[in-house]
Amino acid sequence: MKVRVFSIEAINSSLKMGLFIFTLNSFWGSSNIFACPNSVNVVLTLGGIICLLFSIFKRRHNYRTIFAYSLLILLGASAYYITRLSLVLVLILSCLAVRHVDFDSICSFLFHYNILFFIIHCFFLIATLPFRFTDYIVYSVDRTRFNFGFLHANLFSIYILNITLMWLWLNRRHISNRIVVMVALILLSTSALSKTRTLIVTTVIIILLLCLVRIINRNNLFLSICSGYGAVLFYGLFFFLWQGFVKSNSLVIYVDDLLSARIRQGAYVMTQYGFSFLGQSITRSCIQWDSLYRLTDFTFDDIYSYFSFNIGLIWFILLAVCIRSIAKGKNNWVNVYIIIWLILGITDVHVLSCYVCFIALFLSRAFRAKDNHDSMFSA
């Protein structure tokens, strides 16, 4: 039987433009230095979508592939119509657009523009700091934080983490003990500067996984299992934590305090809006304070509640299936990065954007054909 080869292509100009636009829009939309007008955000998003669509369908595909891609894009568009969130649609388009392009080339492209935009951001931060210092201070119940010119201090942390993870990925064949120590210092310093407590735990886990992947045998089955079923396991854990919080379980409340009210917020949305299979639009008005939830406002701080109550469970199911498909390849570095991504999803929903956390683009390699010479699976 003839084996179909999964062809790897160079980055074309329309794909470059689409990736550039969404990377720019991501940074601009996260900035507290220059507010991005909604009209500009809409124009950039539409421009990026057109570029990615052109990049996808300019290639020669068979009818079955065209049908599958079109169906996915239509589902993503319907998700936008229902939830008023473009996250799913942009992720689908990005994954389809880079599916036939060498992964390390994509990562390198995103890495260099992330560095560029971050340097520009830091330049304007320093230039405006004497005049707008108070604008960059965020006061919360238990701490005062410096947001480094971002809308939230956690965004500063996730951008630093994303750049670090991209650099590690591109240099994964040459990781030394000194590099591991350097990464630990960078991430722990970022945690201290932004006062992001959850990043400390995440850093420890990342360092342990980096040490593990360097000493274990290639194609490790244990890592493949952890990666392939991690999403389902984490979701099950959060489901029971939400139920436990509603019942005022003391242990769950303690865990919620450790996770900075992430369980509490998920439990609140569960009781007020319920689970949604196709997604729903969530409004954050008219929140009445009570002794159990103690909320005057809420946000989605983990991907598991985000999928369950806002984006739609159908997308979590598809995510879990795609991750399982990728994990079957038993590539240690790929599986370690997926585990890191799922752990990051416990504390931040921004990791679902491939322009904030590049690991989301791993989904582009789900259900890949055999005989793949992509650099993603070469180490």
Side-chain angles (χ1 to χ4, degrees):
M1 183 177 67
K2 185 178 179 180
V3 177
R4 183 168 62 91
V5 176
F6 189 82
S7 60
I8 298 299
E9 304 170 4
I11 306 179
N12 57 58
S13 56
S14 56
L15 176 56
K16 284 183 179 179
M17 183 56 67
L19 295 176
F20 173 83
I21 289 173
F22 279 118
T23 304
L24 170 63
N25 198 29
S26 175
F27 263 93
W28 198 354
S30 302
S31 175
N32 191 32
I33 300 174
F34 298 108
C36 181
N38 186 60
S39 57
V40 174
N41 177 62
V42 171
V43 169
L44 287 174
T45 301
L46 286 176
I49 287 174
I50 291 171
C51 288
L52 293 181
L53 280 171
F54 184 75
S55 175
I56 293 168
F57 290 109
K58 71 181 292 186
R59 297 190 185 97
R60 297 180 62 181
H61 301 293
N62 59 42
Y63 291 116
R64 185 165 55 182
T65 300
I66 292 174
F67 174 77
Y69 282 13
S70 300
L71 181 61
L72 267 177
I73 292 170
L74 286 174
L75 285 173
S78 68
Y80 170 74
Y81 177 78
I82 294 171
T83 65
R84 299 303 176 188
L85 298 169
S86 61
L87 176 65
V88 171
L89 177 60
V90 172
L91 180 58
I92 289 173
L93 291 173
S94 301
C95 287
L96 294 181
V98 306
R99 183 168 171 78
H100 289 268
V101 182
D102 180 73
F103 191 84
D104 281 10
S105 298
I106 294 295
C107 183
S108 179
F109 182 89
L110 292 175
F111 174 75
H112 285 97
Y113 277 104
N114 269 268
I115 289 290
L116 174 63
F117 291 141
F118 193 81
I119 291 173
I120 294 172
H121 175 91
C122 290
F123 173 80
F124 281 106
L125 172 65
I126 295 170
T128 59
L129 193 59
F131 314 103
R132 298 182 56 187
F133 180 77
T134 55
D135 292 341
Y136 305 141
I137 300 296
V138 179
Y139 299 96
S140 58
V141 177
D142 58 342
R143 52 188 162 159
T144 302
R145 308 173 71 183
F146 186 65
N147 63 21
F148 292 89
F150 288 93
L151 294 177
H152 196 283
N154 285 4
L155 280 171
F156 168 75
S157 300
I158 198 66
Y159 274 114
I160 292 290
L161 180 59
N162 185 45
I163 290 172
T164 304
L165 289 173
M166 281 194 286
W167 186 88
L168 280 172
W169 175 263
L170 292 172
N171 294 275
R172 62 192 183 278
R173 299 172 183 87
H174 312 288
I175 302 298
S176 64
N177 292 332
R178 184 168 59 181
I179 289 177
V180 173
V181 172
M182 181 185 69
V183 169
L185 291 175
I186 290 173
L187 295 183
L188 290 175
S189 298
T190 301
S191 175
L193 289 170
S194 61
K195 296 185 179 180
T196 309
R197 293 172 297 198
T198 51
L199 183 58
I200 299 175
V201 179
T202 304
T203 299
V204 173
I205 295 172
I206 289 174
I207 298 304
L208 290 175
L209 288 172
L210 284 177
C211 294
L212 178 65
V213 76
R214 293 173 60 215
I215 62 175
I216 61 176
N217 297 326
R218 297 183 65 179
N219 306 323
N220 187 272
L221 179 61
F222 176 73
L223 276 181
S224 177
I225 293 173
C226 291
S227 169
Y229 297 102
V232 177
L233 291 174
F234 280 129
Y235 185 87
L237 175 62
F238 266 85
F239 178 83
F240 285 109
L241 288 173
W242 296 327
Q243 302 295 332
F245 192 92
V246 171
K247 298 175 182 177
S248 300
N249 183 286
S250 58
L251 178 60
V252 174
I253 292 174
Y254 176 73
V255 173
D256 175 67
D257 291 336
L258 293 178
L259 292 176
S260 303
R262 286 171 172 83
I263 307 301
R264 179 186 318 171
Q265 294 182 97
Y268 174 82
V269 182
M270 180 182 70
T271 55
Q272 296 297 316
Y273 295 94
F275 292 88
S276 176
F277 185 71
L278 296 177
Q280 59 184 324
S281 179
I282 299 289
T283 58
R284 293 176 170 83
S285 59
C286 303
I287 298 177
Q288 187 173 358
W289 190 93
D290 60 52
S291 58
L292 175 60
Y293 298 108
R294 293 171 287 158
L295 295 173
T296 56
D297 193 10
F298 73 88
T299 185
F300 291 102
D301 272 341
D302 67 271
I303 65 174
Y304 305 100
S305 61
Y306 203 30
F307 276 116
S308 297
F309 315 122
N310 197 178
I311 298 178
L313 283 170
I314 184 175
W315 298 109
F316 179 79
I317 294 170
L318 184 59
L319 174 80
V321 172
C322 288
I323 289 176
R324 179 58 187 149
S325 170
I326 300 166
K328 286 180 179 179
K330 296 182 182 178
N331 181 283
N332 289 350
W333 276 102
V334 171
N335 287 329
V336 160
Y337 264 68
I338 290 175
I339 293 170
I340 290 172
W341 188 48
L342 295 175
I343 292 172
L344 290 175
I346 295 175
T347 61
D348 205 316
V349 298
H350 295 99
V351 299
L352 289 177
S353 169
C354 57
Y355 301 99
V356 178
C357 185
F358 86 106
I359 306 176
L361 284 178
F362 279 34
L363 299 175
S364 67
R365 269 42 185 182
F367 310 109
R368 63 187 179 90
K370 294 180 180 180
D371 197 22
N372 189 339
H373 300 290
D374 189 1
S375 60
M376 180 175 179
F377 298 96
S378 63

